Amino acid sequence: MSDSIAVLAAPVIAIDGPSGSGKGTLCQKLARHLGWHLLDSGALYRLVGMAADKHGCAFDDEAAIAILAANLDVEFVAGEPGEPTRVLLEGEDVSGDLRTEVTGMLASKVAVLPAVRSALLGRQRDFAKAPGLVADGRDMGTVVFTTAPVKIFLTASAEERAERRYNQLKSSGDDVNLATLLGEIRARDKRDSERELAPLKPADDAVHIDSSGLGIDEVFNRVLTEVNARLVSL
């Protein structure tokens, strides 16, 4: 994967952090407030997997899937308050299928291909268009948008993130166990932070925000203060 520094075509707010820290909700709220584009980078591998399946690509055909990744026709549309982001793949709304186990399996098949990871690096950078971009991920500030004027590392305790996920799943009628969720979150944090390629870590110049015990409006206002302070000189 290339580690070259990209010259940004528009200002970027790079928001990284572990699963369950509130990045998705925060990024949607920021993009909607600013009228900027939104990138959910974690969804891209799932979308590449869906595209490969749709076009009948063999999952060991690294070159063909890399071409799909480099030319992925995808759009993230921030929803209205209280509504999730809509995801369009080749003009089709695939929001409902994006987080299924089947799609997760497709993503796991393409994520191991170095050429795909390299192609997605450029694809993610292509989202940086006027008037600006809010980028949600784990390596936005450390790998993808290293020159972003605003970098936020949003976290929360593993216990709070597990409870948030527990409440979310329970409200959907799922039978879940809080202790099991906590174990899964801790294991995922360990994998993400210790992986060799693009590990989860804050950029050296990122602002750290712990969302434990904070409501989304409190987090949003803190981040917006940083955005206003850092973008005023651009």
Side-chain angles (χ1 to χ4, degrees):
M1 181 186 298
S2 170
D3 60 357
S4 60
I5 296 176
V7 177
L8 300 181
V12 173
I13 302 171
I15 300 183
D16 293 314
S19 176
S21 58
K23 301 190 310 297
T25 302
L26 172 62
C27 288
Q28 289 182 48
K29 193 174 178 69
L30 279 171
R32 189 165 53 241
H33 176 81
L34 297 169
W36 285 15
H37 301 286
L38 175 66
L39 167 61
D40 176 358
S41 66
L44 286 179
Y45 289 102
R46 288 174 175 258
L47 288 162
V48 171
M50 293 175 76
D53 185 58
K54 177 179 179 180
H55 291 284
C57 290
F59 280 86
D60 58 355
D61 190 344
E62 184 171 353
I65 298 176
I67 291 173
L68 276 179
N71 297 281
L72 197 63
D73 179 7
V74 58
E75 183 179 3
F76 297 96
V77 182
E80 295 301 316
E83 295 182 357
T85 298
R86 294 171 58 235
V87 184
L88 307 181
L89 176 62
E90 299 175 1
E92 178 185 356
D93 190 337
V94 297
S95 308
D97 297 326
L98 192 60
R99 303 298 178 184
T100 65
E101 290 299 319
V102 171
T103 303
M105 289 295 292
L106 297 177
S108 69
K109 293 180 179 180
V110 302
V112 299
L113 304 175
V116 172
R117 299 191 69 90
S118 181
L120 284 183
L121 178 62
R123 185 66 187 86
Q124 289 172 100
R125 286 173 175 167
D126 286 344
F127 275 85
K129 298 177 182 178
L133 173 69
V134 180
D136 168 359
R138 286 174 172 75
D139 62 352
M140 297 295 95
T142 56
V143 175
V144 182
F145 300 111
T146 56
T147 59
V150 183
K151 297 176 186 174
I152 304 293
F153 191 79
L154 184 65
T155 189
S157 69
E159 290 78 9
E160 175 141 345
R161 288 184 283 130
E163 187 169 352
R164 291 173 183 174
R165 183 61 174 159
Y166 175 83
N167 291 333
Q168 180 185 42
L169 291 172
K170 289 291 285 186
S171 66
S172 299
D174 295 327
D175 184 15
V176 291
N177 179 275
L178 181 58
T180 299
L181 287 175
L182 178 58
E184 291 173 350
I185 284 176
R186 285 174 171 164
R188 184 171 184 179
D189 287 351
K190 181 177 175 63
R191 288 195 304 271
D192 286 347
S193 61
E194 294 182 354
R195 68 191 182 200
E196 183 176 349
L197 186 61
L200 171 65
K201 64 178 183 178
D204 292 339
D205 54 347
V207 176
H208 294 233
I209 296 178
D210 189 334
S211 67
S212 301
L214 299 179
I216 182 58
D217 289 338
E218 293 175 278
V219 176
F220 172 78
N221 288 332
R222 289 181 62 177
V223 172
L224 193 59
T225 297
E226 293 292 338
V227 169
N228 290 335
R230 292 172 180 245
L231 294 186
V232 69
S233 60
L234 293 182

